Amino acid sequence: LIERWDQEAQSIAYHQGKICFIDGGLPGERVRVRVTEHKAQYLKAQVVKVLTPAPERIAPACRFFGSCGGCQLHYVGAEQARQLKQQALDQQLQHQLKVKALPWQPTIADQATAYRRKARIGVWFEKKTKQFTVGFRRAGGKEITAVADCMVLSPVIAPVLPILTQTLPQLQQGDAITHVEVLDADGQAFVVVRHIRPLSAADRELLQQAWPDAHWIGEAEPDVFQPWSAQQPQPSYSLNSGLKLTFQPTDFIQVNSAVNQAMVAQAVAWLAPQPHENILDLYCGIGNFSLALAQTAAQVVGLEGVQTMVDTARQNAVQNGLTNLYFAQADLHLAWPKADWN
């Protein structure tokens, strides 16, 4: 019998006095499971059959659910999934903070499909059969499982799966490609091809011809990008306040554009920065919140652990004509250093 969820969307049950973390179950359900990990203090398991389903359970809309490890909650509706996530986080925060009630505000939400603007696609070449597999990591494993289409990718980058599946077998050095990252940068598709050996000009041309609307970038070494065409634009997105943020393909950005717009607007509305106030933005990334807050505050100090993202944030401040921003690199998991911002 599943009793509750934890903060990672795993259901919690107890077996012979030992806690059991179960993937694929809902609170109140009776399920049959397969144990995947057996430790002294806990068990991990996967649902193999639902004996007594919860009222919230639905048939997954995605035909790859269960084999693909990209999504975990397609067996409940979007609103029910949000409620369960909030309940799990509420339980954890109440336990850690020793409080009995938290002032939860209305959920910031968007459509449950066709929203994701960034994704990493796995590529596996089987030497014996000379076959490519294109998709995402298998649920509960590291292998790549074939996925022909994905209902959560934005329409701008959704073509990546069939295009790669059809084009990779035509390449001379296709087996050098290990994975591909796709970006929807305000309606422009960017494709970052990670390859462990140089790709020939003919291979690059075949890929570009297969998807001419996309901007193709090679990544022979981590974070070393080589645009495949001249005068290629840098990925960017805009905020409703008129700001434009550029970023590197591997920089962290919020994957849901509409939710990000709403989050930034909500943060500005709640904080209501005044012209005499200073703001400290921790884990600021490329300045997603910092720049918006700086439009009305006296000064915003943004701290980020990744130096390349600090550099990008500084560039974004300059590009948007904001002079009241200061960005610095700091590992905030460690003791704060002696610095001007501290």
Side-chain angles (χ1 to χ4, degrees):
L1 175 65
I2 294 175
E3 297 190 4
R4 56 185 173 87
W5 262 20
D6 71 2
Q7 72 280 4
E8 296 181 358
Q10 295 180 113
S11 48
I12 304 295
Y14 293 88
H15 178 68
Q16 297 180 350
K18 187 179 293 187
I19 190 169
C20 186
F21 301 97
I22 302 172
D23 288 331
L26 292 170
E29 291 185 330
R30 290 191 177 275
V31 296
R32 183 175 296 139
V33 303
R34 174 176 57 86
V35 175
T36 57
E37 194 172 336
H38 198 148
K39 299 292 185 179
Q41 302 298 323
Y42 65 88
L43 298 172
K44 286 191 174 183
Q46 177 72 43
V47 170
V48 295
K49 186 176 183 180
V50 178
L51 303 176
T52 308
E56 302 92 341
R57 183 173 287 275
I58 63 173
C62 177
R63 60 194 174 113
F64 301 104
F65 181 79
S67 60
C68 173
C71 299
Q72 290 80 40
L73 302 178
H74 278 192
Y75 52 89
V76 291
E79 181 58 33
Q80 287 75 21
R82 286 191 284 267
Q83 291 176 5
L84 287 166
K85 289 178 183 179
Q86 180 171 309
Q87 290 170 12
L89 185 58
D90 186 80
Q91 291 170 2
Q92 185 187 38
L93 291 175
Q94 287 196 38
H95 174 73
Q96 292 185 350
L97 302 176
K98 309 302 180 186
V99 296
K100 293 185 178 181
L102 291 168
W104 288 99
Q105 304 302 301
T107 302
I108 292 176
D110 187 37
Q111 61 192 40
T113 59
Y115 67 85
R116 191 175 183 93
R117 63 176 172 176
K118 188 174 185 180
R120 177 169 171 158
I121 311 298
V123 176
W124 175 256
F125 178 71
E126 180 55 54
K127 295 180 180 179
K128 291 183 179 179
T129 62
K130 306 294 183 182
Q131 298 291 317
F132 284 92
T133 302
V134 177
F136 298 104
R137 292 197 183 278
R138 183 176 297 277
K142 296 181 179 181
E143 306 87 356
I144 303 299
T145 186
V147 176
D149 52 74
C150 178
M151 61 189 298
V152 301
L153 295 184
S154 84
V156 174
I157 58 176
V160 67
L161 291 163
I163 285 173
L164 288 178
T165 301
Q166 295 166 12
T167 311
L168 285 174
Q170 304 175 35
L171 305 183
Q172 299 171 352
Q173 299 290 331
D175 61 337
I177 298 174
T178 58
H179 65 263
V180 170
E181 292 197 31
V182 283
L183 301 166
D184 173 358
D186 274 3
Q188 287 190 314
F190 286 80
V191 189
V192 181
V193 181
R194 179 74 173 97
H195 50 94
I196 56 177
R197 297 191 309 277
L199 297 178
S200 67
D203 280 354
R204 296 198 301 269
E205 186 175 354
L206 274 173
L207 288 167
Q208 289 177 292
Q209 288 176 349
W211 197 1
D213 292 336
H215 300 292
W216 292 82
I217 302 169
E219 188 186 10
E221 301 176 35
D223 297 328
V224 178
F225 305 109
Q226 180 187 9
W228 288 358
S229 59
Q231 300 179 337
Q232 186 164 291
Q234 188 174 352
S236 66
Y237 64 87
S238 298
L239 295 175
N240 291 333
S241 57
L243 296 167
K244 181 179 179 180
L245 285 81
T246 58
F247 57 97
Q248 293 295 327
T250 54
D251 286 342
F252 171 81
I253 61 171
Q254 295 290 338
V255 298
N256 190 317
S257 177
V259 166
N260 185 58
Q261 294 275 8
M263 288 198 317
V264 173
Q266 184 70 87
V268 172
W270 276 343
L271 287 174
Q274 301 301 306
H276 64 278
E277 292 179 328
N278 298 327
I279 297 175
L280 187 64
D281 183 8
L282 308 180
Y283 305 94
C284 69
I286 63 171
N288 186 56
F289 289 95
S290 305
L291 271 67
L293 295 168
Q295 289 181 302
T296 51
Q299 184 186 44
V300 176
V301 176
L303 303 179
E304 168 59 42
V306 182
Q307 183 62 51
T308 55
M309 295 180 72
V310 173
D311 297 338
T312 300
R314 290 170 177 165
Q315 294 170 8
N316 282 326
V318 172
Q319 291 171 4
N320 286 277
L322 295 170
T323 58
N324 58 336
L325 284 148
Y326 173 81
F327 292 101
Q329 190 276 333
D331 187 344
L332 298 172
H333 295 90
L334 305 177
W336 285 15
K338 292 182 179 179
D340 293 340
W341 54 263
N342 186 8

